[in-house]
Amino acid sequence: MPGRLGYGAHLPLIDFDGRGWSPGSIAAYARTAVRLGYDALAVNDHLVFQRPWLDGIVALAGVVEHSGDLQLVTTVVLPVVRGPVVVAKSAAALDVLSGGRLVLGVGAGSSPRDYEVVGLPFDERWSRFEEAVGSLRAHLDGAALPGRPAGPPIWIASWGSDAGLARVARLGDGWVASGFHTTADRVAKAREVLAAALARHGRSIDGFPCALATLWTYVTDDRRAAEAHLTGLAAMLGRPVDELADRVLIGAAERCAGVLRAYAEAGVDRVFVWPVADAEEQLARFMRDVVPLV
């Protein structure tokens, strides 16, 4: 039997429709997530992107006072691009200001543009990333909250390759998968690989977090609206519509719930939804119409 899914909400960092952000809109979104019963708020990280993108760490800091007791999660931040010491400094501050609610998800990043803009070679990202995680741990453990033996947990991002899962097992306190880069079947197979990798390090997959981030969401019974949002999302991401359709929560509530049930069966214990429009309304509709069907 699958365990209970936890539900987090990505902060609306991308300007999908060209309207930008109004003062207080991110805080209002966070308060809505608290009221609706989400258990975490999440941010992703790009320095450059196809659309305007608010800085995730700044946005997460901006909602600390509006986030109740929700976990604050980076899914993920890029320590190689930003610099591990700078990321550690920001993460330590967020952990202190939130009373120890931070989960630091980190990844090497998949966009050469993020590396180009800071003058780093993209083909060195993996060796640099492993060094960065070690540096992060050293600096975060040194800045841990009073009474805590270590800094915030560090989750490692991987799309599910054997090499990536070995890295998760060796370096991480949890695994962050990417919603639009995987499927439930792939997650199930990847968890078998991860379980073996963890065992080689004397660790168990039982209780080891498995989160699915960047799960693009728009719950609607209007097929034309669903197709329009899916087409726009595919164009932004440079993905075929048919490939993306089964990897997002766009469409009728029962279809979205079916996707989530499959992920729960595969061993995912938390998903992070990201509305592509009508952000607060979609947070409410997801909790009202989809979650009870899961």
Side-chain angles (χ1 to χ4, degrees):
M1 291 292 291
R4 175 191 174 273
L5 272 179
Y7 300 101
H10 285 279
L11 293 182
L13 302 182
I14 298 177
D15 181 14
F16 284 105
D17 57 13
R19 297 179 182 177
W21 303 268
S22 60
S25 61
I26 301 294
Y29 180 93
R31 291 193 295 269
T32 295
V34 172
R35 175 175 57 81
L36 292 170
Y38 287 84
D39 58 24
L41 293 169
V43 296
N44 288 36
D45 197 14
H46 279 294
L47 297 188
V48 289
F49 195 67
Q50 297 90 317
R51 303 280 177 86
W53 185 303
L54 280 181
D55 184 83
I57 292 176
V58 172
L60 205 56
V63 302
V64 167
E65 295 300 317
H66 305 276
S67 58
D69 61 355
L70 273 59
Q71 280 192 323
L72 306 177
V73 188
T74 60
T75 59
V76 295
V77 70
L78 308 176
V80 176
V81 170
R82 291 183 177 267
V85 175
V86 173
V87 170
K89 183 75 171 179
S90 298
L94 277 171
D95 203 40
V96 168
L97 294 176
S98 66
R101 291 185 283 127
L102 181 68
V103 174
L104 185 64
V106 296
S110 60
S111 172
R113 295 176 64 197
D114 285 325
Y115 280 76
E116 290 169 6
V117 77
V118 294
L120 291 176
F122 185 64
D123 59 1
E124 295 180 7
R125 65 193 182 281
W126 292 117
S127 60
R128 288 175 178 266
F129 177 69
E130 298 215 6
E131 293 175 3
V133 174
S135 179
L136 277 175
R137 282 207 185 274
H139 284 87
L140 286 170
D141 290 351
L145 289 169
R148 292 180 60 176
I154 296 177
W155 293 357
I156 305 295
S158 170
W159 292 356
S161 69
D162 288 359
L165 294 168
R167 191 176 294 111
V168 172
R170 188 172 65 255
L171 302 177
D173 304 310
W175 172 32
V176 183
S178 172
F180 68 98
H181 287 111
T182 193
T183 65
D185 286 343
R186 290 182 182 179
V187 168
K189 293 174 182 176
R191 278 178 54 80
E192 294 177 3
V193 175
L194 178 59
L198 285 166
R200 288 194 291 271
H201 293 276
R203 308 170 71 188
S204 172
I205 199 168
D206 294 335
F208 192 84
C210 175
L212 188 69
T214 323
L215 200 52
W216 307 106
T217 301
Y218 195 85
V219 184
T220 180
D221 294 322
D222 185 332
R223 291 183 61 183
R224 289 186 178 180
E227 290 173 0
H229 285 299
L230 184 59
T231 300
L233 185 61
M236 183 186 78
L237 298 173
R239 293 298 185 90
V241 172
D242 291 345
E243 175 188 285
L244 197 59
D246 293 331
R247 302 184 182 190
V248 295
L249 303 180
I250 295 179
E254 177 53 49
R255 196 204 73 79
C256 297
V259 173
L260 293 175
R261 286 194 296 270
Y263 276 119
E265 292 280 356
V268 172
D269 49 57
R270 179 181 285 174
V271 297
F272 293 92
V273 301
W274 191 331
V276 299
D278 307 323
E280 291 184 53
E281 177 185 328
Q282 280 294 311
L283 286 187
R285 184 158 188 180
F286 176 80
M287 276 296 191
R288 184 187 71 228
D289 295 347
V290 178
V291 170
L293 302 177
V294 178

